[in-house]
Amino acid sequence: MDLNFTDSENTFRRECRAWLEANVPREPLPSGDTKEGFALHLQWEHKLFDAGWAAVSWPKQYGGREATLFEWLIFEEEYYRVGAPSRVTQNGIFLLAPTLFEFGTDEQKERILRPMARGDVAWGQAWSEPNAGSDLASLTSTARRVEGGWRLSGQKTWSTRAVFCDMAYGLFRTDPEQARHRGLTYLMFPLHAEGITVRGVDRLDGDEGFAEIFLEDVFVPDADIIGGVNQGWKVAMATTSSERGLSLRSPGRFMATAARLIDLYHRYRDRSDPVLRDEVIQTWMDAQVYRWFTFQTVTRMMQGESIGPDSSMNKVFWSEMDVRTHETALAIIGDALELDEGSDGAVDGGQWMKGFQFALAGPIYAGTNEIQRNIIAERVLGLPRK
Amino acid sequence: MRFAFTDDQKMLRDTVREVLQRECAPEVVRAAWEGRPEGVRAVWDTLADTGVIGMTASEDAGGMAMSELDLVLPLEETGYAALPGPIVDTVAVGIPFLEAAGTDAQKERWLGPAVAGEARIVVSFEEQAVVAHAASADALIVQRGGAAFCVPVVEASVSPEQSVDRARELCRVAFEAGAQYRMRDDVDTAALFALGRERAALGTAAQLIGLSRRMLDMAVQYAKDREQFGKPIGAQQAIKHRLANALIEQEFARPTVYRAGWSMATSARDAGIDVSLAKIYAGQAARFVAKEALQVHGAIGYTIECDLHMWMKRAWALAAAHGDAAYHRERVGRHIL
Ligand SMILES: Cc1cc2nc3c(=O)[nH]c(=O)nc-3n(C[C@H](O)[C@H](O)[C@H](O)COP(=O)(O)OP(=O)(O)OC[C@H]3O[C@@H](n4cnc5c(N)ncnc54)[C@H](O)[C@@H]3O)c2cc1C
């Protein structure tokens, strides 16, 4: 065990920090879940990619730096420490890319990864359907075989930022004779093609962050299948752990939030009672604990272990920690919490209420925490399914 | 950065695990509860034979000069088995203290026997009103008025108190603080006691992780075996989610303990803060797992006949020993706020 960073890890951190401090926009960008905010975030993504920071752990040929997982975690710590913009490329870089690295063809990787990481092509995740949320395998969208490809029909929903995106990926039923997990295929499709209607849906926090996607005979070539016809479930499940686990929510984000909370506490400490003080301490400790848990996990990964259902523990921990943290912040702010973004008296520009609302989504997206607990009980503890 | 134990460290853990599995079954813990500590004595002897009891002593003293990090996994196993007795006190605190601050005569008398498993050492810190395991110890290292004394138990007055965990013999200790007991005055014993407190808290945290793991194992097994409504209770989602929550608490506490072991072993900056995190999270997890495990067991868990209670009571006692959550949280608070 050596819990010091190595010299090269420290060098890497200094490099990240120097570049980020010199380049991160001084004024925070407007929310990436709005049209103008999204466009500004993409400009930031271009800059990040051109300097080689968009996907540090990727191979060089796709614009990465071949950083180790620990270096990636360091990058994330530095990224959130300086308050850099949220990553609107996330559903591409952190969710689709791992799938492509595992199941994609060379042609697909060549064609898709660089534009994805640069934000030239923005990707949305189109997994959920109106009647297939937690029970994803009950999905009913179909892909019909035609000359040279497939015709997609059906409806997807809750697709984050898809109103602003160019492409999406999801599962389609390619074999109507087969039920549930069988007969599904993982496909990528354009969001501006004929037969597609994308309708924005306002989220709890007021941003147009969701979209419904209606597909009517949308053509997709064979080249846009990932992992083979009727292999979709296996492909989707192999990478769900990226979503639950560290790639979506690395510790750096929560360490930065804890630091901001401590700053808030100091500014309002005359209003804070001992209970709040304890909660602030708890937040800081939870972020530390998540960090050490992650370092332990990453060491296992670097030794070649696969993490599998253990990633469900991450998901429950980070999502519930994030809610508690924001609840503490709102308790410190007191009745000023209702002053929304744009109001004069809003504390820190209203970001805590906004962050609180988004934190509340954490236990829902990326597989609800009930589903994660089922997975932990059945697949880690070995309790009977029925 | 590499957050994993070495093969040697894991081998030592496996050795301890095997010894305890063989020799420290729940009946042995139960016997200690009922005032029959012979079985526990025998386990102590075996652990001494494997070198575990003397592991923190220097090689000159017949030990293995092992660090706090090396201690963590073996101590976790002693928690898993709910091994009664002053193993944290003797191995993590007492032996290193004696070696650092004992006079030649004190070392002559106690160090060799302690390493060989023939003498147990218990440390009594200034602030402790009651001391666990003093009655069955052989030597006491006592902090009084800021000074350090090494007192043979036979020359002290030790009056028993009753712990909720009957296998923890609690005692009040009194003795004539004479010069013959003084430890070396050319070493900074205050600093050694401070270090001893950290080691005691760390060792206790390691045991708490082990206690959690055992209680969770018991509860998971019970949930698979016990049937109601024609199926195992573990097939019910309410039970599943309780056990999943218990696992999460436990697994997030675990790296905090390992981290604290590393920080102490390397004298890392803020090692004390890391120990506080370890103690808080390990204590919190053990108390949480205890509660969930009891609920999963139903009424049988609410009996003295069911083994679970011995683990729960140890967990309650240890979660509060060597600094409870409030104490350690305050220390963290002073550090960060
Ligand atoms: C902010 C946000 C962003 C999202 N982004 C995307 C995206 O980009 N792309 C995408 O495809 N989807 C996205 N989603 C959708 C998300 O994946 C789903 O919300 C999620 O899978 C749950 O499905 P559902 O909403 O239909 O809830 P349901 O499945 O209907 O669940 C409702 C409630 O019932 C519980 N429940 C359901 N089944 C069980 C069970 N077996 N045991 C116990 N409890 C159960 C759930 O836990 C939940 O509490 C997003 C959601 C949010 C909130």
Side-chain angles (χ1 to χ4, degrees):
Chain A
M1 188 174 297
D2 183 358
L3 305 185
N4 286 317
F5 289 105
T6 62
D7 288 344
S8 72
E9 286 163 345
N10 284 324
T11 308
F12 183 85
R13 185 186 293 277
R14 278 192 298 276
E15 261 183 78
C16 297
R17 184 172 296 188
W19 189 86
L20 288 164
E21 283 179 349
N23 289 283
V24 163
R26 273 180 222 304
E27 284 299 307
L29 302 182
S31 164
D33 297 323
T34 59
K35 196 171 164 73
E36 70 280 15
F38 187 79
L40 291 169
H41 276 73
L42 283 184
Q43 283 175 18
W44 162 249
E45 292 287 336
H46 298 336
K47 192 165 177 180
L48 208 53
F49 181 86
D50 293 342
W53 297 109
V56 291
S57 61
W58 286 12
K60 293 208 173 86
Q61 70 180 119
Y62 303 123
R65 300 181 169 240
E66 301 181 1
T68 65
L69 277 171
F70 276 118
E71 287 168 340
W72 175 73
L73 290 172
I74 290 168
F75 171 77
E76 291 267 307
E77 288 186 4
E78 293 303 318
Y79 191 88
Y80 289 102
R81 197 185 68 86
V82 297
S86 65
R87 304 292 305 273
V88 295
T89 47
Q90 146 195 304
N91 289 347
I93 294 178
F94 298 127
L95 302 183
L96 179 58
T99 313
L100 286 171
F101 282 122
E102 196 167 341
F103 297 98
T105 62
D106 288 342
E107 183 277 324
Q108 287 172 330
K109 287 184 269 186
E110 208 52 56
R111 170 163 55 98
I112 296 166
L113 290 172
R114 293 180 73 96
M116 165 196 290
R118 193 168 182 278
D120 292 332
V121 176
W123 288 83
Q125 183 196 33
W127 281 29
S128 305
E129 294 185 0
N131 289 314
S134 299
D135 186 10
L136 186 62
S138 70
L139 64 90
T140 54
S141 294
T142 57
R144 185 165 52 81
R145 193 87 183 104
V146 293
E147 181 73 29
W150 302 81
R151 293 262 172 204
L152 312 185
S153 295
Q155 185 188 344
K156 301 290 181 182
T157 189
W158 314 131
S159 189
T160 294
R161 291 183 289 271
V163 251
F164 319 123
C165 289
D166 308 293
M167 294 285 296
Y169 50 90
L171 291 167
F172 292 83
R173 199 162 288 286
T174 33
D175 183 348
E177 304 293 303
Q178 304 256 32
R180 298 192 54 81
H181 316 78
R182 284 178 290 278
L184 299 174
T185 299
Y186 207 106
L187 284 152
M188 299 177 279
F189 59 94
L191 286 169
H192 303 299
E194 214 180 293
I196 294 255
T197 312
V198 180
R199 199 174 71 84
V201 177
D202 291 344
R203 297 191 317 197
L204 181 72
D205 61 6
D207 287 349
E208 197 184 8
F210 277 147
E212 293 178 302
I213 305 171
F214 302 88
L215 303 105
E216 251 177 279
D217 273 338
V218 178
F219 179 77
V220 167
D222 283 323
D224 284 345
I225 288 178
I226 308 176
V229 177
N230 295 337
Q231 301 300 309
W233 189 256
K234 189 183 79 188
V235 176
M237 289 306 113
T239 47
T240 48
S241 63
S242 328
E243 184 170 16
R244 292 172 198 144
L246 35 124
S247 54
L248 192 66
R249 292 291 179 262
S250 74
R253 176 189 293 249
F254 303 105
M255 290 162 62
T257 312
R260 284 194 294 116
L261 182 71
I262 288 174
D263 173 64
L264 179 75
Y265 170 79
H266 282 307
R267 282 182 285 136
Y268 288 82
R269 86 183 299 159
D270 54 329
R271 293 234 312 271
S272 299
D273 65 6
V275 175
L276 283 177
R277 181 173 186 271
D278 279 359
E279 286 176 14
V280 171
I281 299 168
Q282 188 69 42
T283 290
W284 181 84
M285 294 195 299
D286 281 349
Q288 293 295 309
V289 168
Y290 186 58
R291 185 178 192 230
W292 292 111
F293 183 87
T294 302
F295 286 178
Q296 186 184 256
T297 306
V298 164
T299 302
R300 284 170 60 193
M301 291 168 78
M302 287 176 72
Q303 290 171 342
E305 265 185 69
S306 82
I307 300 307
D310 282 7
S311 61
S312 293
M313 291 198 271
N314 272 65
K315 161 78 216 287
V316 173
F317 191 89
W318 64 249
S319 57
E320 297 184 354
M321 162 172 65
D322 203 27
V323 173
R324 280 194 305 274
T325 301
H326 284 89
E327 283 173 339
T328 302
L330 294 184
I332 292 174
I333 292 171
D335 63 2
L337 67 82
E338 69 172 303
L339 289 168
D340 218 349
E341 297 176 279
S343 315
D344 272 349
V347 174
D348 296 341
Q351 59 167 298
W352 292 105
M353 175 51 89
K354 177 115 180 163
F356 169 63
Q357 294 180 62
F358 186 63
L360 288 177
I364 300 174
Y365 64 78
T368 72
N369 286 10
E370 285 74 24
I371 297 301
Q372 306 305 334
R373 289 184 164 97
N374 291 348
I375 292 170
I376 294 164
E378 290 166 11
R379 292 173 49 205
V380 183
L381 294 175
L383 292 170
R385 272 166 200 264
K386 287 202 167 68
Chain B
M1 178 65 59
R2 188 177 159 280
F3 199 137
F5 285 95
T6 61
D7 288 343
D8 283 348
Q9 286 163 336
K10 287 190 253 180
M11 248 163 61
L12 184 62
R13 173 199 62 195
D14 292 345
T15 305
V16 174
R17 183 177 289 181
E18 220 177 282
V19 167
L20 294 173
Q21 219 161 33
R22 213 176 39 235
E23 298 188 23
C24 192
E27 302 80 74
V28 174
V29 184
R30 192 172 283 280
W33 261 71
E34 292 161 358
R36 293 177 284 111
E38 301 75 18
V40 173
R41 285 276 173 181
V43 182
W44 193 278
D45 291 342
T46 313
L47 288 175
D49 291 344
T50 59
V52 171
I53 300 295
M55 66 186 279
T56 53
S58 67
E59 290 177 14
D60 286 347
M64 301 192 277
M66 283 190 167
S67 72
E68 290 89 345
L69 181 60
D70 300 313
L71 269 173
V72 161
L73 292 180
L75 289 178
E76 183 179 328
E77 294 307 314
T78 64
Y80 188 82
L83 174 69
I87 190 156
V88 168
D89 315 59
T90 300
V91 181
V93 190
I95 289 178
F97 196 109
L98 179 65
E99 210 174 345
T103 62
D104 288 343
Q106 287 163 344
K107 285 201 273 193
E108 179 74 34
R109 180 161 179 197
W110 298 117
L111 189 55
V115 170
E118 289 149 14
R120 303 160 180 236
I121 303 172
V122 159
V123 178
S124 167
F125 297 103
E126 193 95 58
E127 67 277 9
Q128 284 179 307
V130 285
V131 184
H133 309 297
S136 63
D138 302 280
L140 299 168
I141 292 175
V142 191
Q143 185 182 32
R144 285 291 181 277
F149 299 88
C150 178
V151 188
V153 170
V154 290
E155 291 167 32
S157 121
V158 173
S159 48
E161 297 276 352
Q162 190 136 283
S163 168
V164 65
D165 173 1
R166 299 284 191 273
R168 267 168 73 79
E169 312 151 283
L170 286 186
C171 319
R172 276 176 207 283
V173 173
F175 70 106
E176 204 74 45
Q180 73 272 32
Y181 302 134
R182 281 295 287 265
M183 300 187 77
R184 278 169 58 180
D185 50 19
D186 57 337
V187 295
D188 183 353
T189 51
L192 283 176
F193 277 116
L195 182 62
R197 280 190 192 85
E198 306 292 354
R199 288 196 175 129
L202 171 70
T204 304
Q207 288 192 315
L208 281 161
I209 291 289
L211 289 164
S212 293
R213 187 158 53 84
R214 180 60 163 274
M215 291 188 285
L216 186 55
D217 280 358
M218 289 186 204
V220 167
Q221 193 57 50
Y222 191 76
K224 290 175 183 172
D225 295 342
R226 168 75 173 168
E227 293 197 0
Q228 286 292 282
F229 300 99
K231 60 181 177 183
I233 56 167
Q236 304 287 359
Q237 199 172 60
I239 298 288
K240 285 181 181 171
H241 285 195
R242 278 183 185 276
L243 294 173
N245 288 340
L247 183 71
I248 293 168
E249 289 278 332
Q250 172 188 304
E251 290 310 307
F252 277 86
R254 178 187 302 287
T256 68
V257 177
Y258 298 168
R259 153 86 189 176
W262 179 85
S263 295
M264 286 205 68
T266 58
S267 306
R269 197 160 53 100
D270 305 330
I273 298 302
D274 293 331
V275 170
S276 283
L277 256 72
K279 188 65 193 5
I280 292 169
Y281 281 80
Q284 209 163 273
R287 284 171 36 200
F288 183 79
V289 175
K291 213 162 51 175
E292 301 305 294
L294 172 58
Q295 185 68 17
V296 167
H297 275 78
I300 187 74
Y302 198 72
T303 65
I304 295 289
E305 180 190 322
C306 177
D307 292 332
L308 179 64
H309 84 100
M310 296 188 287
W311 272 259
M312 292 200 293
K313 289 166 183 168
R314 182 72 54 81
W316 297 334
L318 293 189
H322 299 296
D324 60 7
Y327 168 84
H328 285 287
R329 199 189 305 109
E330 186 45 38
R331 195 159 73 142
V332 176
R334 280 198 308 273
H335 174 68
I336 61 163
L337 293 180

